[in-house]
Amino acid sequence: MHLVSAAAFLLVLGLSSPVESGKCPRVCSCDSTKLSVTCVGKNLTEIPPTIDEITVKLDLRNNNLQVLSRRAFILMPYLTHLNLQRCNINKVKEGAFRALGRLVSLNLAYNKIDILYQESFDGLSSLKELHLDHNRVEEIQPGAFAQLGFLNMLALTHNQLVYIPNMAFQGLNNIKWLRLSHNSLNNLAPEAFAGLFTLSRLSLDHNELQFFPTEAMTRLPEVTRLDMSHNPITYLGEESVSMAKLTRLYLDHMSIQDLSDLALSRAPFLSHLDLSHNQLRYLEPLSGPKELASLNLTGNPVYCNCYMRPLREWAGVGGVKLLGTCTGPPHLSDEPLQAVVPLDLRCRSRGEMLKDEFEKDDEEDTGSLPPTAKPKQKVKCPDNCDCDIESQHATCEGRGHTKVPRGFPAKTQLLDLRSNHFHYLPTNSFPGTSQVVSLHLEFCKIHQIESGAFRGMKKLFYLYLSDNDLTSLDPGAFAGAPELTYLHLEGNRLVQFPGSALALLPSLFVLHLEQNAISKLEPTGLLSSATPNLRELYLTNNTINAIAKGALDSAFLGTLHLDSNQLTEMPTHALSDAPNLEEIKLSQNSIRWVGPNAFKPISQSLKRLYMDQMGMEKMSRDALAGLGPGLRALTVRGNQLEELPDLSPLTGLEVVDLQDNPLMCDCPLLPLRRWMENVSLEVIATCGNPPEIRGQKVRDVHVFTSCPESGSAPDEKVATPSGPPKVKKTKTSLSKTPGVKARPAKPKAKLLKPTKKKPQRKPGPPKTTKNKTL
């Protein structure tokens, strides 16, 4: 017995002693019981090579590692907690964390990381917490988080982000809390948060958002808590907040002067709303939230007169607790809003009330401006501009400049020159701005950019030239800005795709060309040669009526928006060499017929397909051939479709919209009805014919009970031609449902009112035809 005990003791000693003495680095302390190693503040320049492989917790804070090399932790496969705070890390090389498949917590806070590369976190398949706060992150490359499928919390606070691109957080399938506070965000792409289906808490406070990012927020179905405080938002319009499960919304310390009573109409479960420290003088009762318990108006200049009475009565009836006090009139000054009786909220007369308020405003305007309102003179800054050394931002927005100001601080990273009157940008317009990452030139009436205008802007990453008067671009317009990645040219008057000018931008990743006058896409000088790395191309609202074969060839293109143009046929031939296209929008083009194999060239990559409001009358039964489990979204809303192709191969659908189509609820539609019954998605589709069930949901009608088991009618081959719909002047459509009389063609013409050129045209031949004199 004693020999066994001694042997066991020696075995334990043999396992633990290497950690404690044999393999414990000289400058570190090791705990064999907790399997932890601590090397804090030892000025280490590399990972100690003698750390025992069974170590579970490694603390390397306050060292000087600078670069994490590839497979830096390959000898520590059992690590679960790794702390690398304050290690002067400026780069994490691809695969640095490979082999750390058990790591659940990684702390990289307070370092100097500026770019999150595509495979920076490769190998961290079990990671649950990632701290990247207090770095210098200004770029998130696509797929940076693709390997972090189990991550619950991501902290990116106190960095230098100015823009979140589409799909930036792709791969975070279990994320609960995303922290983006204290950055310089002024814009979020519509799909910035796409794929974050489990996110419940989002922190966007202390940024520079000027508008509520409604479109981006609609992609967050599970968010219950949203913090948008300390952003310079001034107004919230109707349906600004469209978040079905939101319960707590923080909009405090902003610049809100007005808020529509319908701003929160699509946030039904909101219970706590913080509007403190804004510029609200009064507020209408809020429509939408049915469970609102608290409304905080503290720090607002609320004037308690008759205009506040509806809100006070609404709060009393709904049990909403109002926080805040009255700033006037004098007899109610400093009175808590909750204590004010509605009868006390009255106006003597509108004229007297406005006089009192204007006098109060005049007093405030003349006597209350703090002496520190102007920028400090010691900061190097052009006249009539503001420069902030600490945040490395400079702005001359809306100051009436006719020439680009010069003399900004050398370390400026965000330069805002929007809403001036430059008209043209000459060569070398921005000397001394080599550190600028984001440049805003919107609404500057620019009609010409000379070659080399941006010369010297070696770090320029985001360029906003939206809403100007550009009709063309000089081939050398962007010379000298090789790192430009996000380019906004929407809202100009460009008549051609600016391929030659883009050829100088090898890093271009996202290109916005919406609302221009581009009518054709030619193969010469386009994607494959000019912008080989382009991932997202937005051409919405141009006048495109033709796309030549090869015009869209690109090995990298993933998102293509062609909606609201003048296409009359599917651009299938133009997509023959775009093997990675994941999303295409074709909505609001006049494409009436979608033929067989329309998406065959991109069937292996396509995930999202939008074809709304095209006047589409017919889809071939093979229109979606090749599309299978990979397709996630399909919308054909607001067309003239009577039938649909078989959707059963699309087993991966997460979003489907078939609404506002006059579907023929007859036997050929039986496969759709059966598909609807077998999927967990909520699919809304309504009958357009026969007339007696028009408007009823396909799922609810009983006309399919008399159909043959196969779902085919005797004349189904006639009902489903392979070619586009023919124009027929005389025809009658018979219902297969017993007891339903033949329908004359006239009501069908009413359904086709939007198609003005051919009012008698009908999507596809009828089930049976008879000649009838009209």
Side-chain angles (χ1 to χ4, degrees):
M1 183 72 87
H2 293 294
L3 290 173
V4 174
S5 299
F9 173 76
L10 288 173
L11 179 60
V12 172
L13 184 63
L15 287 173
S16 60
S17 58
V19 180
E20 202 157 32
S21 57
K23 285 195 175 183
C24 187
R26 182 174 56 83
V27 296
C28 305
S29 60
C30 306
D31 187 329
S32 60
T33 305
K34 297 180 179 179
L35 298 178
S36 64
V37 177
T38 303
C39 314
V40 177
K42 303 301 181 181
N43 202 31
L44 297 173
T45 58
E46 60 180 19
I47 312 297
T50 58
I51 295 175
D52 196 289
E53 68 173 1
I54 65 171
T55 301
V56 172
K57 294 184 178 181
L58 176 59
D59 191 344
L60 292 170
R61 282 174 295 161
N62 293 49
N63 283 291
N64 191 27
L65 301 177
Q66 295 189 11
V67 176
L68 293 182
S69 58
R70 189 169 179 265
R71 302 167 72 88
F73 301 92
I74 191 67
L75 300 177
M76 290 162 266
Y78 298 102
L79 281 183
T80 60
H81 292 73
L82 177 58
N83 195 333
L84 293 166
Q85 287 188 73
R86 302 182 190 275
C87 285
N88 286 322
I89 298 169
N90 55 60
K91 187 171 184 179
V92 179
K93 289 193 174 180
E94 174 190 339
F97 301 109
R98 210 162 282 160
L100 294 185
R102 292 178 171 84
L103 200 70
V104 296
S105 177
L106 174 59
N107 196 330
L108 283 163
Y110 293 94
N111 281 291
K112 299 177 181 178
I113 300 168
D114 56 357
I115 299 176
L116 300 179
Y117 294 95
Q118 184 169 0
E119 305 208 356
S120 292
F121 305 108
D122 187 24
L124 300 176
S125 56
S126 300
L127 198 66
K128 293 187 176 181
E129 288 187 6
L130 176 56
H131 296 266
L132 287 163
D133 43 294
H134 294 275
N135 274 276
R136 300 175 181 176
V137 177
E138 60 186 34
E139 177 187 352
I140 301 174
Q141 290 194 349
F145 306 111
Q147 306 293 323
L148 307 183
F150 285 94
L151 197 71
N152 295 149
M153 192 280 293
L154 172 59
L156 275 164
T157 64
H158 294 89
N159 277 284
Q160 297 174 10
L161 293 167
V162 296
Y163 175 70
I164 301 294
N166 286 325
M167 309 298 290
F169 304 102
Q170 187 175 13
L172 300 181
N173 301 325
N174 285 282
I175 191 75
K176 299 295 188 295
W177 187 7
L178 177 58
R179 301 167 59 188
L180 294 167
S181 313
H182 292 276
N183 277 276
S184 304
L185 292 170
N186 57 61
N187 196 5
L188 304 177
E191 302 282 344
F193 301 124
L196 302 184
F197 299 116
T198 61
L199 190 70
S200 60
R201 184 173 180 179
L202 175 61
S203 303
L204 280 166
D205 54 287
H206 294 85
N207 277 287
E208 297 178 6
L209 295 167
Q210 297 183 22
F211 304 97
F212 191 90
T214 304
E215 192 170 359
M217 293 303 171
T218 58
R219 308 301 197 268
L220 298 172
E222 298 297 322
V223 166
T224 59
R225 185 184 181 112
L226 173 62
D227 190 347
M228 293 283 298
S229 59
H230 294 272
N231 278 278
I233 295 175
T234 58
Y235 173 67
L236 262 71
E238 294 182 6
E239 298 185 355
S240 290
V241 184
S242 181
M243 305 179 75
K245 294 189 177 181
L246 191 66
T247 59
R248 291 177 178 267
L249 177 59
Y250 299 89
L251 300 172
D252 54 286
H253 293 87
M254 303 174 92
S255 304
I256 299 176
Q257 301 171 13
D258 192 15
L259 186 142
S260 167
D261 60 315
L262 295 173
L264 305 166
S265 59
R266 302 191 68 177
F269 295 108
L270 193 65
S271 60
H272 290 78
L273 175 60
D274 191 344
L275 287 166
S276 61
H277 303 284
N278 279 287
Q279 303 299 319
L280 293 166
R281 299 296 297 271
Y282 81 103
L283 195 64
E284 296 282 352
L286 299 173
S287 300
K290 304 299 182 184
E291 302 180 13
L292 197 63
S294 173
L295 174 57
N296 192 350
L297 293 170
T298 303
N300 282 274
V302 177
Y303 199 83
C304 292
N305 57 16
C306 59
Y307 290 99
M308 278 294 289
R309 187 185 301 164
L311 182 76
R312 183 65 188 87
E313 292 175 342
W314 167 81
V317 172
V320 180
K321 185 177 181 180
L322 289 179
L323 303 176
T325 58
C326 303
T327 60
H331 70 283
L332 291 177
S333 184
D334 296 326
E335 188 74 13
L337 295 175
Q338 191 71 16
V340 175
V341 179
L343 290 176
D344 291 338
L345 298 170
R346 56 182 182 272
C347 302
R348 297 190 305 278
S349 73
R350 183 169 179 81
E352 291 174 338
M353 178 193 70
L354 291 174
K355 180 181 178 182
D356 289 345
E357 292 184 11
F358 286 139
E359 287 176 354
K360 180 178 176 65
D361 287 340
D362 289 341
E363 291 174 3
E364 292 176 351
D365 290 341
T366 57
S368 62
L369 284 177
T372 58
K374 293 183 179 180
K376 297 177 182 178
Q377 294 303 312
K378 64 180 181 179
V379 175
K380 176 188 175 184
C381 196
D383 291 340
N384 204 18
C385 296
D386 298 325
C387 303
D388 189 326
I389 295 294
E390 185 177 349
S391 65
Q392 298 175 323
H393 293 178
T395 179
C396 312
E397 179 184 355
R399 305 293 173 86
H401 291 283
T402 56
K403 293 183 179 179
V404 176
R406 300 194 176 195
F408 294 101
K411 293 185 177 180
T412 299
Q413 293 192 353
L414 188 148
L415 180 55
D416 193 344
L417 300 172
R418 75 186 88 187
S419 301
N420 284 288
H421 309 290
F422 299 137
H423 297 292
Y424 83 101
L425 298 178
T427 301
N428 200 28
S429 285
F430 303 92
T433 58
S434 61
Q435 301 301 307
V436 168
V437 173
S438 180
L439 175 60
H440 287 265
L441 290 166
E442 304 101 310
F443 298 101
C444 286
K445 301 184 178 180
I446 299 168
H447 62 80
Q448 182 183 355
I449 300 175
E450 290 187 0
S451 178
F454 303 99
R455 186 174 297 153
M457 305 192 79
K458 297 178 181 179
K459 291 191 176 181
L460 188 62
F461 200 77
Y462 306 95
L463 176 57
Y464 301 87
L465 283 163
S466 318
D467 299 290
N468 281 290
D469 298 320
L470 294 167
T471 56
S472 63
L473 285 171
D474 186 285
F478 302 117
E483 297 299 318
L484 189 59
T485 303
Y486 296 88
L487 177 58
H488 288 256
L489 288 165
E490 65 267 30
N492 281 280
R493 293 184 289 158
L494 295 169
V495 296
Q496 292 182 337
F497 187 92
S500 57
L502 303 178
L504 296 176
L505 302 176
S507 300
L508 192 63
F509 189 81
V510 176
L511 176 60
H512 286 271
L513 283 166
E514 303 97 317
Q515 298 174 2
N516 277 282
I518 299 169
S519 59
K520 294 182 179 179
L521 296 180
E522 303 289 351
T524 54
L526 214 56
L527 304 186
S528 56
S529 56
T531 56
N533 293 311
L534 192 69
R535 178 67 178 172
E536 300 174 14
L537 176 59
Y538 300 93
L539 289 162
T540 303
N541 244 324
N542 278 271
T543 59
I544 298 170
N545 55 49
I547 304 177
K549 181 176 175 59
L552 297 173
D553 287 358
S554 170
F556 199 45
L557 189 66
T559 299
L560 176 63
H561 287 192
L562 289 166
D563 44 318
S564 298
N565 277 284
Q566 297 175 11
L567 295 172
T568 56
E569 59 182 29
M570 295 297 300
T572 306
H573 63 288
L575 301 172
S576 58
D577 198 7
N580 290 302
L581 194 63
E582 294 183 355
E583 174 177 306
I584 183 167
K585 281 190 176 181
L586 293 163
S587 303
Q588 293 180 302
N589 282 281
S590 298
I591 301 174
R592 307 209 183 283
W593 156 250
V594 180
N597 302 310
F599 306 99
K600 195 75 171 181
I602 52 174
S603 60
Q604 298 304 306
S605 60
L606 194 63
K607 293 181 179 178
R608 296 174 294 278
L609 174 59
Y610 303 95
M611 298 188 292
D612 304 320
Q613 298 176 326
M614 301 198 311
M616 193 187 342
E617 300 172 0
K618 192 74 180 174
M619 291 180 72
S620 163
R621 67 172 66 187
D622 298 319
L624 304 178
L627 296 174
L631 195 68
R632 297 286 184 266
L634 172 65
T635 70
V636 292
R637 185 172 190 154
N639 285 292
Q640 296 295 320
L641 293 170
E642 289 192 340
E643 297 177 16
L644 286 165
D646 185 13
L647 303 183
S648 59
L650 310 181
T651 55
L653 280 179
E654 297 170 356
V655 176
V656 60
D657 192 345
L658 311 176
Q659 293 189 68
D660 303 326
N661 280 286
L663 295 174
M664 176 73 73
C665 286
D666 216 331
C667 292
L669 204 67
L670 182 59
L672 175 68
R673 165 66 178 267
R674 287 177 174 166
W675 176 80
M676 292 172 63
E677 292 173 346
N678 292 325
V679 295
S680 57
L681 293 168
E682 181 183 358
V683 183
I684 299 177
T686 53
C687 301
N689 279 296
E692 57 271 17
I693 57 174
R694 183 176 300 155
Q696 295 185 37
K697 292 182 179 180
V698 173
R699 189 185 287 269
D700 297 338
V701 298
H702 301 290
V703 296
F704 300 102
T705 55
S706 60
C707 294
E709 196 61 30
S710 64
S712 303
D715 56 349
E716 187 177 354
K717 291 182 180 178
V718 180
T720 336
S722 58
K726 300 282 194 286
V727 179
K728 291 193 176 184
K729 293 184 178 179
T730 59
K731 57 186 176 182
T732 301
S733 181
L734 298 178
S735 170
K736 300 270 188 294
T737 308
V740 177
K741 297 180 179 179
R743 300 184 304 282
K746 192 173 182 180
K748 292 300 295 177
K750 288 183 180 179
L751 287 174
L752 296 177
K753 254 187 177 179
T755 55
K756 295 178 181 178
K757 292 183 180 179
K758 299 176 182 179
Q760 290 182 329
R761 185 173 182 169
K762 184 178 176 182
K767 303 298 179 289
T768 56
T769 57
K770 290 183 179 180
N771 291 329
K772 183 172 182 177
T773 304
L774 297 178

